[in-house]
Amino acid sequence: MITLTYRIETSGSIEALAAKIASDQSTGTFVALPGETEELKARVAARVLAIRHLAAAERPSIPTTGVGPFKRADVEVGFPLDAIGTDLAALMTIAIGGTYSIRGLSGIRVVDMKLPPEFEGDHPGPRFGIAGSRRLTGVEDRPIIGTIVKPALGLRPPETAAMVGELIDAGVDFIKDDEKLMSPAYSPLSERVKAIMPLILDHEQKTGKKVMYAFGISHADPDEMMRNHDMVLEAGGNCAVVNINSIGFGGMAFLRKRSGLVLHAHRNGWDILTRHPGLGMDFGVWQQFWRLLGVDQFQINGIASKYWEPDDSFVRSFEAVTAPIFSPADCALPVVCSGQWGGQAPETYQRTGRTVDLLYLCGGGIVSHPDGPGAGVRAVRQAWQAAVEDIPLNEFARDHVELARSIEKFADGSGA
Amino acid sequence: MITLTYRIETSGSIEALAAKIASDQSTGTFVALPGETEELKARVAARVLAIRHLAAAERPSIPTTGVGPFKRADVEVGFPLDAIGTDLAALMTIAIGGTYSIRGLSGIRVVDMKLPPEFEGDHPGPRFGIAGSRRLTGVEDRPIIGTIVKPALGLRPPETAAMVGELIDAGVDFIKDDEKLMSPAYSPLSERVKAIMPLILDHEQKTGKKVMYAFGISHADPDEMMRNHDMVLEAGGNCAVVNINSIGFGGMAFLRKRSGLVLHAHRNGWDILTRHPGLGMDFGVWQQFWRLLGVDQFQINGIASKYWEPDDSFVRSFEAVTAPIFSPADCALPVVCSGQWGGQAPETYQRTGRTVDLLYLCGGGIVSHPDGPGAGVRAVRQAWQAAVEDIPLNEFARDHVELARSIEKFADGSGA
């Protein structure tokens, strides 16, 4: 049984709308036919399992001429596995996509999805995940510290490489292309790989430490994306930024099957599916698709991010990607990012179950440290050490000058 | 130059938000660097080209604690082609996806997108489109009349085939699987193809008329989808239903390159991206991506559909898919559907430029005709003849009994 929970809103009858969802998405508009169809219908029909009424809304989520109050409820619908199967496109189409077109609702949001064990065997899941990311970066017992080349866009490959050289020297574990950087005319991926990988490999040879660099390989055409993938792999790279929403399930499934790289997912575009609380989908539902498809590292914003997302939502996302769907091996490494500089380490640590299994990604928070990126990296590590030891940052900063200097610069709330 | 128009809404400054969109999506958060970066920045930066202020909204599209009025404007932003290139994943990521995450807006909807000619050469577009659909069905000078197997779901292949046999005899030009029917346990695609295709081919041999049957081949895994495609093609089929939103750009690009079938697009899931007028995207923008990727036939609802979509929105969608992006060859065949029975033919004809270049898809409107599907098909053809000749349906029905009987059954507004 596949179970979906829909938060629905209507000026009509909640019960009727719930029944319509179950009917339209399975064997609805049924006409009597001779033979065994009645038995089959009984076997594959979706069913309303539970209705939990919520406080009505005064205003509709989608503007409507209907008159309130707009009744709200969480409606649980069960789909027999035989009605859908384990294909994720079928699951998305039948259990989610179709419900968005139904007439007579002023709001619908998919808030939960529970998959039966049959899905586990039929999907690859992450190849590297948390354990693989730790192994490849050689980082244990603390967050993997990452950064982004700044400016994110508009640099030519030699300039990008110069910046990467500085970041490698600074001691970061991970560097990535901005998700908007794939292969534009001014910075073709091939030239970027050629300019950057020798620095990574040279540093590895000298120090034994291989910085993980995530190259932007996304392309609408899976064949082109694989060419990008191969280019990175052949040059000795081990990670790629993938704009999962823009390549779709097809791109992701194709890539995962053939990939030798850690797949670092950026969810660009996702916000429009979740930003209105009465519409779309909870991240907890959506991320299950992508983890089954093979995401290793999942960007999920952070405390006090630069974007619209509230902290509570980030915390729920962190819990979501680290909760096993079927087993711990299907968890993705949470990538905490956007406006991070170390100042958010204590709250992040306290609110996400006191774990250090994360990639902590600071752009300006490292690059714009007043004493340079090296000091920036040390400041972030110090912040995490303080967080784990439950020592207030200001206290810890008394004998950790890099942290002190970053507090001076970033703690005014202007962000990193 | 690639030009996007965003309908934005904010309690802050429209001008500042417009500038932020242009900056964040191109060379934003720029720090001064020596050398040629200033020149490059000038060359690849996005620019606000125009701001057209609209009436303010009293209430925000996305609930917010901010205080109104919520200013609204259409903001035109130009992206130099060199900043994005012609890859559709890059275009979606940079020009659309990223804007949805911006803080400080209470609404954003992408309402227009103009692509430069460079996109034409880099994408296949439809292989069959309008001309190919006409050629393969042998239908000229009137709409292609299609229907859907009913019940849509829950039939086993032999029952489906029995129904298909009846529909072929009824004289339809086109039959399709429901978009929610792909390859469930009770009706594997392989068995459906085996049961249905002999009927199509047998009828072709006897009458010379090949009914186009669109099989549901969608699968999240492009390799599996190609196996489904090949199965249909090898059995002599010529069309497939593709759930474009569930397979994504990657699935669609992969399929189009290798496909020998007419690709009939269902946009299941799309509604959540457009249903709230202050959020998401106009269909006119979204459909350009899919046509460039190769959609031949595009489902767009119809007049008085069963779904939420208002008639005006359907009319705009019809105009969108039939307006050349670069040339008439990139137009998709509009598939007018949902609750159609012929009664909507006159209004459809009048409101869509008096064209018969469409696939007119009636499910219940044909299958549930009181005198059977054969009479249902004749009634729909009669309705279109009346529409084209500007004769009111009731008048035309006086000496067209099948139309008269369908008016009796369906014209009470209960729909087909």
Side-chain angles (χ1 to χ4, degrees):
Chain A
M1 174 86 84
I2 299 167
T3 311
L4 275 284
T5 306
Y6 309 89
R7 184 157 297 163
I8 59 174
E9 182 192 300
T10 179
S11 58
S13 154
I14 286 284
E15 284 72 16
L17 182 56
K20 186 171 169 54
I21 289 173
S23 160
D24 281 10
Q25 302 319 114
S26 63
T27 51
T29 56
F30 207 83
V31 292
L33 278 181
E36 53 191 349
T37 56
E38 283 304 324
E39 170 270 319
L40 178 61
K41 183 189 171 186
R43 195 157 62 78
V44 301
R47 280 190 170 68
V48 177
L49 303 177
I51 296 180
R52 290 182 291 276
H53 291 274
L54 302 169
E58 219 178 300
R59 301 216 176 87
S61 291
I62 298 171
T64 163
T65 51
V67 178
F70 297 91
K71 288 157 230 147
R72 293 163 67 244
D74 281 351
V75 171
E76 221 176 285
V77 175
F79 296 83
L81 181 61
D82 273 0
I84 295 182
T86 59
D87 169 35
L88 297 174
L91 177 63
M92 182 59 90
T93 299
I94 297 170
I96 297 181
T99 67
Y100 292 144
S101 64
I102 293 176
R103 195 176 211 153
L105 54 80
S106 59
I108 183 163
R109 185 175 176 91
V110 185
V111 296
D112 198 20
M113 178 171 76
K114 289 197 174 61
L115 301 175
E118 285 81 357
F119 277 81
E120 184 175 16
D122 284 359
H123 299 286
R127 172 161 171 190
F128 296 96
I130 298 171
S133 297
R134 286 219 175 274
R135 182 169 44 79
L136 287 170
T137 55
V139 177
E140 301 294 338
D141 304 324
R142 63 166 175 83
I144 298 169
I145 308 293
T147 190
I148 307 158
V149 177
K150 294 275 171 184
L153 302 173
L155 294 182
R156 293 198 173 82
E159 296 160 336
T160 302
M163 178 64 78
V164 169
E166 207 179 329
L167 295 171
I168 291 173
D169 290 341
V172 291
D173 310 309
F174 175 98
I175 309 173
K176 71 180 276 288
D177 285 339
D178 186 89
E179 82 281 358
K180 291 186 288 297
L181 184 60
M182 284 155 274
S183 200
Y186 66 85
S187 180
L189 178 64
S190 58
E191 287 185 28
R192 220 157 60 241
V193 170
K194 258 183 245 160
I196 290 169
M197 280 313 300
L199 304 179
I200 304 276
L201 298 176
D202 188 54
H203 185 256
E204 184 189 9
Q205 207 156 36
K206 282 185 189 144
T207 66
K209 179 180 178 70
K210 183 164 188 172
V211 175
M212 182 176 278
Y213 193 101
F215 287 96
I217 66 165
S218 299
H219 198 288
D221 180 340
D223 299 316
E224 292 290 333
M225 187 162 58
M226 278 313 296
R227 268 193 279 280
N228 290 344
H229 164 278
D230 295 350
M231 209 186 286
V232 172
L233 193 68
E234 280 157 23
N238 58 14
C239 191
V241 182
V242 181
N243 295 316
I244 53 178
N245 224 17
S246 299
I247 64 168
F249 288 177
M252 187 66 196
F254 188 85
L255 177 62
R256 168 63 180 86
K257 248 195 211 176
R258 295 153 175 86
S259 172
L261 302 174
V262 173
L263 301 177
H264 178 105
H266 196 284
R267 61 184 182 178
N268 172 294
W270 150 252
D271 306 80
I272 203 68
L273 291 173
T274 208
R275 197 167 169 168
H276 191 304
L279 303 175
M281 222 184 299
D282 274 359
F283 182 71
V285 174
W286 190 74
Q287 55 94 34
Q288 291 185 51
F289 288 89
W290 297 104
R291 280 165 57 196
L292 289 174
L293 284 164
V295 163
D296 291 300
Q297 305 181 340
F298 222 132
Q299 282 214 16
I300 51 169
N301 287 337
I303 297 290
S305 86
K306 290 183 295 185
Y307 300 111
W308 69 276
E309 194 177 23
D311 293 350
D312 287 352
S313 174
F314 152 69
V315 170
R316 283 193 302 273
S317 298
F318 194 107
E319 288 164 359
V321 299
T322 55
I325 303 174
F326 302 110
S327 87
D330 62 37
C331 293
L333 180 71
V335 181
V336 178
C337 55
S338 178
Q340 305 299 302
W341 61 274
Q344 299 100 325
E347 189 173 346
T348 305
Y349 185 66
Q350 282 154 27
R351 295 188 66 181
T352 58
R354 299 181 69 84
T355 179
V356 292
D357 276 344
L358 65 139
L359 168 46
Y360 194 68
L361 202 53
C362 308
I366 283 178
V367 175
S368 307
H369 189 284
D371 302 317
V377 172
R378 286 191 295 278
V380 171
R381 284 209 202 173
Q382 289 160 8
W384 272 97
Q385 193 188 335
V388 170
E389 295 175 10
D390 285 323
I391 301 167
L393 287 194
N394 282 326
E395 192 182 317
F396 202 75
R398 270 181 227 143
D399 43 12
H400 292 89
V401 62
E402 293 91 348
L403 178 58
R405 294 274 287 160
S406 83
I407 292 173
E408 265 171 42
K409 169 135 189 188
F410 299 124
D412 64 351
S414 68
Chain B
M1 174 87 84
I2 298 166
T3 311
L4 275 286
T5 306
Y6 309 90
R7 185 157 296 165
I8 59 173
E9 182 192 299
T10 180
S11 57
S13 154
I14 287 283
E15 285 73 15
L17 182 56
K20 186 171 167 56
I21 291 173
S23 159
D24 281 11
Q25 302 319 113
S26 64
T27 52
T29 56
F30 206 82
V31 292
L33 280 181
E36 53 191 348
T37 56
E38 283 304 324
E39 171 270 320
L40 178 61
K41 182 188 172 188
R43 195 157 62 78
V44 302
R47 279 188 173 67
V48 177
L49 303 177
I51 295 179
R52 291 182 290 278
H53 291 274
L54 302 168
E58 219 179 301
R59 300 215 175 89
S61 291
I62 299 170
T64 163
T65 52
V67 179
F70 298 91
K71 288 156 232 147
R72 293 164 67 244
D74 281 351
V75 171
E76 221 176 286
V77 175
F79 297 82
L81 181 62
D82 273 0
I84 295 182
T86 59
D87 169 36
L88 296 174
L91 177 63
M92 182 58 92
T93 300
I94 297 170
I96 297 181
T99 67
Y100 292 144
S101 65
I102 294 176
R103 194 176 213 155
L105 54 81
S106 59
I108 183 163
R109 184 174 177 91
V110 185
V111 295
D112 197 18
M113 177 171 76
K114 289 198 174 60
L115 302 175
E118 285 82 356
F119 276 81
E120 186 176 15
D122 284 0
H123 299 285
R127 173 163 171 187
F128 296 96
I130 298 170
S133 297
R134 286 220 176 273
R135 181 170 44 79
L136 288 170
T137 54
V139 177
E140 301 294 337
D141 305 323
R142 63 167 176 83
I144 299 169
I145 308 294
T147 190
I148 307 158
V149 178
K150 295 276 170 183
L153 302 174
L155 294 183
R156 291 197 174 82
E159 296 160 336
T160 302
M163 177 63 77
V164 168
E166 208 179 328
L167 295 171
I168 292 173
D169 290 341
V172 292
D173 309 309
F174 175 99
I175 309 174
K176 70 180 278 288
D177 285 340
D178 186 89
E179 82 280 357
K180 292 187 288 293
L181 184 60
M182 284 155 274
S183 200
Y186 65 85
S187 181
L189 177 64
S190 58
E191 288 184 28
R192 220 156 60 242
V193 169
K194 258 183 247 160
I196 290 169
M197 279 314 300
L199 305 179
I200 303 276
L201 298 177
D202 188 53
H203 185 255
E204 184 189 9
Q205 207 156 35
K206 282 186 192 143
T207 67
K209 180 180 176 71
K210 182 164 188 171
V211 175
M212 183 177 278
Y213 193 101
F215 288 96
I217 66 165
S218 299
H219 198 288
D221 180 340
D223 299 317
E224 293 289 333
M225 187 162 58
M226 277 313 297
R227 267 193 279 279
N228 290 343
H229 164 279
D230 295 349
M231 209 187 284
V232 172
L233 192 67
E234 280 157 24
N238 58 14
C239 192
V241 182
V242 181
N243 295 316
I244 53 178
N245 223 17
S246 299
I247 64 168
F249 289 177
M252 186 65 196
F254 188 84
L255 177 61
R256 168 62 180 87
K257 247 195 215 179
R258 295 154 175 85
S259 172
L261 302 174
V262 173
L263 302 177
H264 178 106
H266 196 286
R267 60 185 183 177
N268 172 295
W270 151 251
D271 306 80
I272 203 68
L273 292 174
T274 208
R275 197 166 170 169
H276 191 304
L279 303 175
M281 222 183 303
D282 274 359
F283 182 71
V285 173
W286 190 74
Q287 54 94 33
Q288 290 185 51
F289 287 90
W290 297 104
R291 280 166 57 195
L292 291 173
L293 285 165
V295 163
D296 291 300
Q297 306 180 340
F298 222 132
Q299 283 213 17
I300 51 170
N301 287 335
I303 297 290
S305 86
K306 291 183 294 185
Y307 301 112
W308 70 276
E309 195 177 23
D311 293 350
D312 287 352
S313 174
F314 152 69
V315 171
R316 283 193 302 273
S317 298
F318 194 106
E319 288 164 359
V321 299
T322 56
I325 303 173
F326 301 111
S327 87
D330 63 37
C331 292
L333 180 71
V335 181
V336 178
C337 55
S338 179
Q340 305 300 301
W341 61 274
Q344 299 100 325
E347 189 173 346
T348 305
Y349 185 65
Q350 283 154 27
R351 295 187 66 181
T352 58
R354 299 181 69 83
T355 179
V356 292
D357 277 343
L358 65 139
L359 168 45
Y360 194 68
L361 203 53
C362 308
I366 283 179
V367 175
S368 307
H369 189 284
D371 302 316
V377 172
R378 286 191 295 278
V380 172
R381 284 207 203 175
Q382 290 160 7
W384 271 96
Q385 193 188 335
V388 170
E389 294 176 10
D390 285 323
I391 302 168
L393 287 193
N394 282 327
E395 193 182 316
F396 202 75
R398 272 182 223 140
D399 43 12
H400 292 88
V401 63
E402 293 92 348
L403 178 58
R405 294 274 286 159
S406 83
I407 292 173
E408 265 171 41
K409 169 134 188 190
F410 299 122
D412 64 351
S414 68

